[in-house]
Amino acid sequence: MGKAKKTRKFAQVKRMISSRDSRLKANQEKAAEAATKKDESEIVREIPQVASSLFFQYNEALRPPYSVLVDTNFINFSIQKKLELIQAMMDCLYAKATPVITDCVMAELEKLGVRYRIALRIARDPRFERLKCDHKGTYADDCIVNRVMQNKVYIVATNDVDLKRRIRKIPGVPIMSCGTGKYVIERLPDAPEK
């Protein structure tokens, strides 16, 4: 094996620095100005008021009879697992529980069509408490999160992963989900172990 032959490159041009290169003094000054503007914009304008009923992560406003804010997919999972909603809630919480359903959740169930008519019939049960929604749109996740942030007296019943992630960021709000054969609750100190 021999030595590789170097070929001479014709018309080779000196490389020039681009006008947007970060090494130029003018661009460094622009970057510094942008960083200071960003720091000014990050000033906290409004800090959400922490509820007086919260004692660290423990919410003292939650007392029996519990109000359980029900989501669309929670009802659907309950039907799939053949669990009766109110009875299974009482078995999970060892106390009286009132399922609460918003207009947005009812609208979502109605939009789902004929396949989910059993879920709609369950949601129309007179034992369920109905809450009126006065906002635009029918996106139930935003509605539930806003309700829970305003008053932390609800247990949120959902199997939606994204909604659970959003609710976990709010301190003192327990989450109920549908497990195999029973409901599971998280972040409720008095709740029995799994």
Side-chain angles (χ1 to χ4, degrees):
M1 294 208 333
K3 198 172 186 183
K5 211 175 190 185
K6 280 190 177 178
T7 55
R8 214 168 131 214
K9 294 181 180 168
F10 294 98
Q12 194 172 16
V13 184
K14 266 191 171 179
R15 290 196 177 162
M16 293 180 63
I17 294 177
S18 167
S19 62
R20 292 177 294 196
D21 198 313
S22 61
R23 294 175 286 183
L24 290 174
K25 195 170 188 176
N27 291 340
Q28 287 176 348
E29 290 170 0
K30 284 182 185 176
E33 286 176 24
T36 56
K37 283 183 183 177
K38 189 176 181 183
D39 290 340
E40 290 171 7
S41 65
E42 286 181 0
I43 296 172
V44 178
R45 303 234 188 286
E46 181 181 327
I47 299 171
Q49 185 71 32
V50 178
S52 61
S53 61
L54 282 179
F55 180 70
F56 295 113
Q57 290 293 315
Y58 182 74
N59 189 355
E60 293 179 354
L62 284 172
R63 298 223 182 270
Y66 296 109
S67 295
V68 183
L69 203 55
V70 180
D71 190 25
T72 310
N73 55 18
F74 186 78
I75 298 172
N76 294 333
F77 269 89
S78 298
I79 293 167
Q80 285 176 8
K81 306 281 184 184
K82 295 184 171 78
L83 293 169
E84 193 197 326
L85 219 69
I86 297 173
Q87 189 61 43
M89 279 181 191
M90 287 184 183
D91 292 344
C92 177
L93 296 168
Y94 293 143
K96 189 176 187 313
T98 307
V100 178
I101 197 159
T102 62
D103 288 343
C104 294
V105 174
M106 288 298 286
E108 251 184 29
L109 282 169
E110 287 166 3
K111 280 183 188 174
L112 288 173
V114 182
R115 284 187 62 196
Y116 296 95
R117 65 180 177 273
I118 297 169
L120 189 61
R121 188 180 299 158
I122 289 171
R124 286 189 177 140
D125 190 335
R127 295 177 292 179
F128 279 40
E129 191 179 312
R130 289 288 296 272
L131 292 176
K132 298 280 183 228
C133 295
D134 54 352
H135 57 81
K136 290 184 179 177
T138 59
Y139 188 56
D141 290 5
D142 288 341
C143 177
I144 289 171
V145 169
N146 288 339
R147 284 231 188 241
V148 167
M149 284 181 80
Q150 285 170 2
N151 33 0
K152 294 177 171 61
V153 294
Y154 297 111
I155 295 171
V156 178
T158 184
N159 272 46
D160 187 1
V161 178
D162 295 329
L163 182 58
K164 279 185 183 180
R165 191 177 300 125
R166 286 173 67 182
I167 289 172
R168 281 188 189 112
K169 292 176 184 172
I170 306 168
V173 179
I175 302 168
M176 183 184 285
S177 57
C178 192
T180 50
K182 62 179 182 176
Y183 291 155
V184 180
I185 191 138
E186 60 182 78
R187 290 175 29 175
L188 185 67
D190 298 337
E193 295 300 316
K194 292 178 184 176

